[in-house]
Amino acid sequence: MRTASTAVTTALLCAVTGAALAGCSDGAVPPEPSAAELLDRANDTMKALTSVTVDWTYTGTAGAGGGQSGHMTTDLKDTCATRLTWVDVGTYEQIRIGDTAYARSERAGKRWTRTPVDKETAELGPTSCTQEFASFGTATKGEPTEVGGTPAIPLVVTDKADKGGTYTFHVATEGKPYILKVDYKGPEHRTTTTYSAFDRPLDVRPPAAAGG
């Protein structure tokens, strides 16, 4: 049986959050979304982006190789600019615009070369501009936190297919539910990936001079 205080509290919640929310019309407070639902919403939001900036670091544990860092601005389709840096190798840069890719590396004298993109393998190799945003495994909520000053909720995901690995997706809780950061800790390596500049105009152009 609902008490008078419960009814008043519910009415206040509906007034603050908006009467259009499901459940407010009959005085019921809408249920809090589960971790899986939050992750699904975040992935759908990221898939709908027209552009995003991605930064990541990779660190191998003992005996699993060196480190790598990367930076990419992309339309998540076929236009992107990527910079990769390996601890023991150096830097590799690539610009892809549609069916054409431009690349250069420190080992090749930093000279840009131009090559056509193989459409059949483009999304599997180094010319890929895409990012995978898909839900998997079992998700649980962590304690509220902040990423770069933006309030976020950590969603900790484990998957039977990845023994010993744990993913933590930090999803924004103000504004659109963007994925702000993903941390992965596994037995052989660790990665941190951050996303920013959501839907900002993409400025990716061919290099001033490129051979090929």
Side-chain angles (χ1 to χ4, degrees):
M1 180 177 180
R2 298 175 67 225
T3 64
S5 61
T6 301
V8 171
T9 300
T10 300
L12 288 172
L13 283 172
C14 288
V16 172
T17 59
L21 285 175
C24 284
S25 59
D26 60 4
V29 178
E32 185 176 334
S34 67
E37 289 171 334
L38 290 173
L39 189 56
D40 285 343
R41 294 177 189 178
N43 284 323
D44 289 342
T45 300
M46 299 298 284
K47 290 176 184 177
L49 290 172
T50 58
S51 67
V52 67
T53 294
V54 190
D55 290 277
W56 68 93
T57 59
Y58 169 102
T59 304
T61 55
Q68 179 199 97
S69 62
H71 174 85
M72 172 192 287
T73 55
T74 176
D75 68 353
L76 298 173
K77 295 178 181 178
D78 61 3
T79 300
C80 59
T82 306
R83 180 183 178 92
L84 301 174
T85 302
W86 287 269
V87 173
D88 301 323
V89 177
T91 300
Y92 171 83
E93 295 177 87
Q94 180 178 270
I95 297 172
R96 177 182 170 185
I97 301 175
D99 296 335
T100 302
Y102 307 86
R104 69 177 180 177
S105 67
E106 291 180 341
R107 290 190 172 186
K110 294 187 176 182
R111 178 177 179 271
W112 287 102
T113 59
R114 174 180 175 176
T115 59
V117 175
D118 185 339
K119 294 183 178 180
E120 293 185 2
T121 61
E123 307 317 324
L124 300 177
T127 56
S128 175
C129 296
T130 61
Q131 292 280 302
E132 183 178 5
F133 299 109
S135 298
F136 59 94
T138 302
T140 58
K141 295 180 185 178
E143 293 297 322
T145 185
E146 289 187 355
V147 176
T150 300
I153 182 73
L155 304 176
V156 182
V157 177
T158 56
D159 190 6
K160 292 181 179 179
D162 185 5
K163 295 181 180 180
T166 301
Y167 296 83
T168 302
F169 295 80
H170 296 79
V171 177
T173 55
E174 289 186 358
K176 293 184 178 181
Y178 295 124
I179 296 176
L180 304 175
K181 183 173 70 169
V182 183
D183 290 318
Y184 172 79
K185 293 183 179 180
E188 296 186 353
H189 69 273
R190 296 182 178 183
T191 61
T192 295
T193 305
T194 59
Y195 299 93
S196 61
F198 306 104
D199 282 332
R200 291 185 183 177
L202 194 67
D203 185 17
V204 176
R205 306 176 184 180

